[in-house]
Amino acid sequence: MSERAVFSMRAGRGTLRALEEEARRYRVAPRTLAETILEEGLRMRRHPGIVFVDRAGGRAAVLAGHPRLNVWLIALTARGGRSNARTARQLSIDVPSLERALAYAGEYPEDVEAAIQANEEAFERMKRLYPPALKPARRPRRAAAPR
């Protein structure tokens, strides 16, 4: 856990009211939400093209314009040893977008590795709980043509 410090700032009443409303919606303290917003905002400024979205497991860094394409998934796919051009084609994105995601992953490797690990654990849990769901579907037999 990183070292924490107290930081004081002024904000408009409307901004504070909006912060309190959002904090109630997310069921967190306003100071907790403010810290999250500040952290994500700084990350997005440092890495244009990366945005954060809500997921069932919490907030996730994704590629702007591709909200279903998590940065951790891009980083994991890029580990396959293929060229950036080939990896970008596989993911249906352009090379600069791939490079933006990889730059983010390079600066925040702990977050990316934690997301990869969480995904692997969820997959293993699913395999244990629902083994038939992971077996390939059998193709139905074709009915004989009527004579």
Side-chain angles (χ1 to χ4, degrees):
M1 179 177 246
S2 63
E3 186 177 323
R4 300 176 64 86
V6 174
F7 172 73
S8 178
M9 64 176 272
R10 295 184 190 279
R13 283 190 171 87
T15 301
L16 292 175
R17 200 169 18 259
L19 177 67
E20 289 166 353
E21 289 171 7
E22 283 296 295
R24 272 194 302 278
R25 191 166 77 92
Y26 281 92
R27 294 183 173 99
V28 297
R31 66 181 173 276
T32 302
L33 181 59
E35 183 178 10
T36 299
I37 290 169
L38 183 60
E39 175 69 24
E40 289 179 0
L42 290 169
R43 288 180 180 211
M44 288 189 297
R45 285 183 68 100
R46 293 174 66 103
H47 296 278
I50 302 299
V51 296
F52 291 84
V53 296
D54 288 319
R55 294 277 192 257
R59 301 281 290 171
V62 301
L63 200 54
H66 301 274
R68 292 192 172 120
L69 196 50
N70 290 1
V71 169
W72 69 262
L73 181 59
I74 295 169
L76 184 63
T77 304
R79 289 181 185 170
R82 293 175 289 282
S83 69
N84 280 0
R86 190 167 173 198
T87 301
R89 265 194 315 276
Q90 181 182 359
L91 294 168
S92 300
I93 59 175
D94 57 33
V95 174
S97 294
L98 172 73
E99 291 170 346
R100 283 192 292 276
L102 294 177
Y104 178 90
E107 186 166 347
Y108 302 103
E110 302 86 17
D111 292 357
V112 171
E113 291 305 317
I116 290 170
Q117 183 65 34
N119 183 67
E120 289 173 358
E121 289 169 2
F123 184 71
E124 290 301 318
R125 193 168 41 255
M126 189 176 94
K127 282 191 337 189
R128 277 193 322 274
L129 295 173
Y130 309 105
L134 299 175
K135 291 183 181 174
R138 289 179 34 185
R139 294 179 119 186
R141 289 186 182 177
R142 290 179 62 169
R147 294 184 195 204

